[in-house]
Amino acid sequence: MAKGVYQTPLAFLDQTFSGDVPSATNIWLTTQKKQVISNILQHSPSFIRVKYWQHESKTAWILSEVGKEKPITVGVVIDDGKIQQLKVLTFRESRGWEVKHNFFTRQFDHVGLNQERRLDKSIDGISGATLSVRALKKIARIALYLEQQL
């Protein structure tokens, strides 16, 4: 199945925090944060705040970005400034669904941001899923950037 919900946000958070999900907190986009996120997305963000969950050094983010036409919802877990897990929760596009597979998302494990706010490790693309791959890379960069702002 290409389109679909692969894991609900609640189940993702429950798994991430071993059943003891902390309360959600919001990070508001200041003018500077909005500018950085606009540069990453290459368009203005459609949100003014981002919800996240934190327990000690571990944070979880649920973000969406359009691949070609429809949003892809992704859960990102960050611990000590590095991605611990990136998972496609809902995929709505008609193409590029291959990004949901673990063989692809595992590439994001232990990835951080460099000084230029780019991923510090190369992520291999998937033929026919270029826009979906780009969307996931943007989401990873935004989650890592916002985690640095806490």
Side-chain angles (χ1 to χ4, degrees):
M1 180 172 82
K3 295 181 189 179
V5 177
Y6 303 113
Q7 189 172 28
T8 66
L10 185 58
F12 172 75
L13 293 169
D14 197 50
Q15 180 182 25
T16 298
F17 295 104
S18 301
D20 189 18
V21 179
S23 297
T25 308
N26 289 308
I27 185 168
W28 291 86
L29 297 192
T30 60
T31 303
Q32 180 185 3
K33 288 176 189 148
K34 190 173 182 176
Q35 182 60 50
V36 170
I37 292 172
S38 293
N39 289 342
I40 292 170
L41 291 174
Q42 299 174 336
H43 63 81
S44 294
S46 60
F47 44 87
I48 58 171
R49 67 178 184 254
V50 177
K51 194 180 287 188
Y52 68 97
W53 294 260
Q54 181 171 21
H55 178 72
E56 297 177 354
S57 63
K58 182 191 285 186
T59 58
W61 305 80
I62 297 174
L63 299 165
S64 295
E65 171 60 0
V66 173
K68 183 175 182 181
E69 297 172 337
K70 297 184 178 180
I72 303 167
T73 302
V74 177
V76 183
V77 179
I78 300 173
D79 199 358
D80 287 330
K82 300 284 185 183
I83 293 175
Q84 192 176 58
Q85 180 188 22
L86 183 142
K87 181 167 187 159
V88 174
L89 303 179
T90 304
F91 191 85
R92 300 170 185 88
E93 297 277 5
S94 59
R95 296 175 182 234
W97 54 269
E98 296 89 345
V99 297
K100 73 175 184 174
H101 291 295
N102 287 339
F103 75 80
F104 177 74
T105 58
R106 272 195 310 260
Q107 294 184 87
F108 290 90
D109 293 356
H110 311 294
V111 171
L113 279 186
N114 64 20
Q115 296 287 339
E116 292 82 37
R117 296 188 182 114
R118 298 204 168 273
L119 299 178
D120 63 7
K121 179 182 162 198
S122 177
I123 303 295
D124 292 336
I126 299 174
S127 292
T130 303
L131 298 177
S132 297
V133 169
R134 274 190 204 147
L136 267 61
K137 289 164 85 174
K138 290 176 182 176
I139 287 172
R141 290 174 64 195
I142 291 169
L144 287 163
Y145 167 71
L146 290 174
E147 193 268 344
Q148 289 178 344
Q149 305 306 306
L150 300 179

